[in-house]
């Protein structure tokens, strides 16, 4: 029997939409061409107002999610560094009420911008999985959407480097388990973590991730378009160039995967 | 001179305590900034009392009475600050920064006088 192995479903998600003009332009272009399958938005981003409607037109091939932001240029009064959020775990109960309000505010803003609830939620600098944020987030999502939206898990099924391991240990496992208990969908595998240096070509990273990622996995990315007004990092520019090149499309077949929008029922 | 310098130094430490405590209460303990300001003030009051009584005015027997007087002086200073600043802004054409500086210096001088002549006044010893 000549059986063809079914292709894996992999989501590729652009993070940070709204934070810079360069990230908005890159996400819009890649989403419009069907080269990525999800975009995660920072709803207080300086540029979100100008670009949200353009991104909305890509919703047929691409799902839109909330990139919960508590660490950078947010309208939240208690915005602070990731380290401070990690430390706040010691007094997590004190933050519960404030975070419930803030998460609701960001979800309301998302719905106002896009006219629909997010298909998924993740966090800027993975803040959504931290002990202090996780519980209020799961509560709010349960109240508002039941199990209709997906959550990003940062747990890799295989070893994908030291940094990826640290991220998963900063609440990733706990979030994955809590989401399972509450029947909230999450990606089964996670990749896309690297040191944002161009020492190793981005294509080489992507090949390694695609070679090992499981069906239902998600690869995060941070492409930015070369732009006079924003100063994107070289690594982010390299990501954009790679996704736009024929090399990216060639990998679909080589690694036998299907680009799949990230959502609860994908 | 040493006493004046000590008065200013302790005041600066108290201000730093006020600021540091308020920021810590907001950023770590999720207090609202309004309440955190009160928390910072209370901490600063303790630092200020300890410093002014021991270092500036050399009072080794400062107790509850002195602390009550000290708190009253501090609160009066704050009320006077707000009142004098509002008055200067309303009735003079001074730049707000100049007005604030005048008020701060004036209230600090008055506070010093109240502390030396009332709060930490040591009974004169008869030789």
């Amino acid at each position: 029997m000549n059986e063809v192995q079914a292709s894996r479903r992999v989501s590729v998600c652009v993070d940070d939409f709204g934070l810079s003009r360069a990230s908005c332009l890159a996400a819009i272009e890649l989403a419009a061409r069907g080269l990525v399958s999800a975009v995660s938005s920072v709803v207080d981003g300086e540029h979100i107002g100008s670009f949200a409607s353009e991104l909305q037109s890509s919703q047929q091939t691409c799902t839109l999610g909330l990139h919960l932001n508590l660490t950078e240029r947010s309208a939240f009064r208690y915005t602070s560094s990731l380290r401070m959020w990690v430390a706040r775990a010691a007094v997590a109960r004190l933050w519960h009420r404030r975070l419930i309000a803030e998460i609701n505010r960001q979800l309301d803003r998302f719905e106002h911008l896009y006219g629909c609830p997010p298909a998924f939620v993740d966090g800027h600098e993975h803040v959504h999985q931290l002990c202090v944020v996780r519980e209020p987030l799961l509560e709010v999502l349960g109240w508002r959407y039941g199990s209709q939206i997906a959550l990003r898990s940062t747990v890799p099924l295989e070893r994908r480097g030291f940094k990826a391991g640290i991220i998963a240990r900063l609440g990733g496992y706990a979030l994955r388990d809590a989401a399972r208990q509450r029947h909230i969908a999450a990606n089964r595998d996670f990749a896309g973590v690297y040191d944002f240096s161009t020492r190793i070509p981005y294509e080489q990273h992507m090949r390694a991730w695609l070679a090992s990622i499981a069906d239902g996995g998600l690869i995060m990315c941070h492409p930015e378009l070369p732009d006079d007004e924003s100063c994107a990092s070289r690594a982010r520019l390299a990501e954009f160039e790679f996704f736009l090149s024929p090399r990216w499309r060639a990998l679909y077949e080589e690694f036998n995967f299907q680009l799949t929008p990230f959502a609860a029922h994908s | 001179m040493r006493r004046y310098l000590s008065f200013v130094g302790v005041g600066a430490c108290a201000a730093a305590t006020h600021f540091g405590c308020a920021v810590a209460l907001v950023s770590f303990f999720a207090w609202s900034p309004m309440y955190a300001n009160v928390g910072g003030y209370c901490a600063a009051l303790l630092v200020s009392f300890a410093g002014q009584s021991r270092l500036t005015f050399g009072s080794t027997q400062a107790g509850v009475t002195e602390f009550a007087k000290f708190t009253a002086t501090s609160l009066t200073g704050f009320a006077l600050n707000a009142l004098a600043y509002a008055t200067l802004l309303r009735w003079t054409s001074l730049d707000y920064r100049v007005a604030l500086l005048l008020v701060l210096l004036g209230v600090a001088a008055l506070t010093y006088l109240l502390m030396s002549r009332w709060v930490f006044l040591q009974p004169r010893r008869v030789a």
Side-chain angles (χ1 to χ4, degrees):
Chain A
M1 210 162 78
N2 193 6
E3 208 174 307
V4 179
Q5 197 192 352
S7 68
R8 288 167 301 161
R9 291 160 304 160
V10 174
S11 303
V12 173
C13 180
V14 178
D15 286 358
D16 297 349
F17 184 81
L19 269 187
S20 69
R21 200 178 128 80
S23 69
C24 291
L25 292 170
I28 287 168
E29 176 140 11
L30 295 175
R33 292 174 182 233
L35 296 169
V36 293
S37 60
V39 176
S40 197
S41 297
V42 176
V43 292
D44 293 324
E46 200 184 329
H47 300 272
I48 193 107
S50 326
F51 293 104
S53 57
E54 253 185 278
L55 181 66
Q56 230 174 339
S57 53
S58 306
Q59 259 179 308
Q60 287 183 338
T61 53
C62 182
T63 46
L64 306 183
L66 171 69
H67 203 48
L68 183 70
N69 176 25
L70 304 170
T71 56
E72 194 178 343
R73 287 174 273 164
S74 164
F76 185 40
R77 173 179 275 163
Y78 303 92
T79 298
S80 52
S81 67
L82 187 65
R83 277 184 203 166
M84 180 58 93
W85 281 110
V86 172
R88 283 169 180 166
V91 287
R93 284 308 304 175
L94 298 177
W95 287 95
H96 196 82
R97 191 172 50 86
R98 292 201 193 286
L99 285 172
I100 294 264
E102 175 59 13
I103 293 162
N104 270 313
R105 186 192 68 79
Q106 293 198 21
L107 288 165
D108 289 343
R109 173 101 176 109
F110 185 97
E111 292 184 12
H112 174 75
L113 281 167
Y114 295 110
C116 61
F120 60 90
V121 172
D122 55 37
H124 188 52
E125 301 186 80
H126 314 290
V127 74
H128 69 299
Q129 64 182 17
L130 297 182
C131 164
V132 62
V133 184
R134 184 167 73 227
E135 282 306 316
L137 176 64
L138 287 165
E139 253 179 58
V140 171
L141 294 183
W143 294 332
R144 290 179 72 121
Y145 311 116
S147 53
Q148 294 302 302
I149 70 167
L151 267 175
R152 177 185 294 181
S153 158
T154 61
V155 177
L157 291 185
E158 291 200 9
R159 261 189 72 83
R160 295 204 172 93
F162 179 74
K163 189 176 169 186
I166 293 287
I167 291 172
R169 279 173 182 79
L170 276 173
Y173 290 97
L175 180 75
R176 182 195 63 183
D177 297 345
R180 269 184 197 161
Q181 273 179 0
R182 293 169 195 235
H183 308 290
I184 293 176
N187 47 301
R188 289 188 51 225
D189 195 1
F190 181 67
V193 180
Y194 71 109
D195 59 1
F196 285 107
S197 86
T198 46
R199 201 169 32 88
I200 297 171
Y202 188 66
E203 183 177 349
Q204 203 173 315
H205 287 301
M206 186 55 85
R207 284 177 166 275
W209 297 328
L210 288 172
S212 61
I213 198 158
D215 179 48
L218 181 141
I219 301 173
M220 70 164 178
C221 60
H222 302 83
E224 289 195 352
L225 188 135
D227 171 47
D228 292 340
E229 288 180 35
S230 339
C231 46
S233 74
R234 281 172 58 202
R236 289 174 185 242
L237 294 176
E239 286 191 31
F240 179 71
E241 281 163 13
F242 166 74
F243 282 117
L244 216 54
S245 73
R247 304 192 311 275
W248 170 228
R249 277 206 179 273
L251 294 184
Y252 291 19
E253 220 168 285
E254 186 180 336
F255 288 95
N256 188 32
F257 75 93
Q258 201 184 333
L259 207 54
T260 310
F262 180 44
H265 305 295
S266 60
Chain B
M1 189 63 188
R2 195 203 71 82
R3 188 183 260 197
Y4 294 130
L5 285 177
S6 169
F7 180 75
V8 173
V10 171
C13 287
T17 304
H18 188 147
F19 183 79
C21 281
V23 169
L25 289 171
V26 173
S27 61
F28 192 71
F29 293 101
W31 283 35
S32 108
M34 289 287 281
Y35 293 122
N37 184 32
V38 177
Y41 172 78
C42 293
L45 194 71
L46 294 174
V47 169
S48 183
F49 179 70
Q52 303 295 18
S53 62
R54 283 162 192 267
L55 300 177
T56 309
F57 297 102
S59 168
T60 49
Q61 291 169 339
V64 177
T65 313
E66 282 76 13
F67 185 68
K69 285 179 176 176
F70 186 87
T71 306
T73 305
S74 170
L75 290 173
T76 306
F78 177 72
L80 210 60
N81 175 312
L83 196 69
Y85 192 46
T87 307
L88 285 179
L89 289 179
R90 176 75 181 82
W91 299 107
T92 71
S93 55
L94 283 173
D95 182 275
Y96 77 96
R97 286 161 292 197
V98 177
L100 184 59
L101 197 65
L102 286 176
V103 168
L104 287 175
L105 289 173
V107 170
L110 193 73
T111 308
Y112 181 85
L113 283 175
L114 277 171
M115 286 187 191
S116 59
R117 307 274 164 97
W118 180 51
V119 181
F120 300 115
L121 182 67
Q122 313 247 358
R124 290 189 180 194
R125 286 180 194 162
V126 181

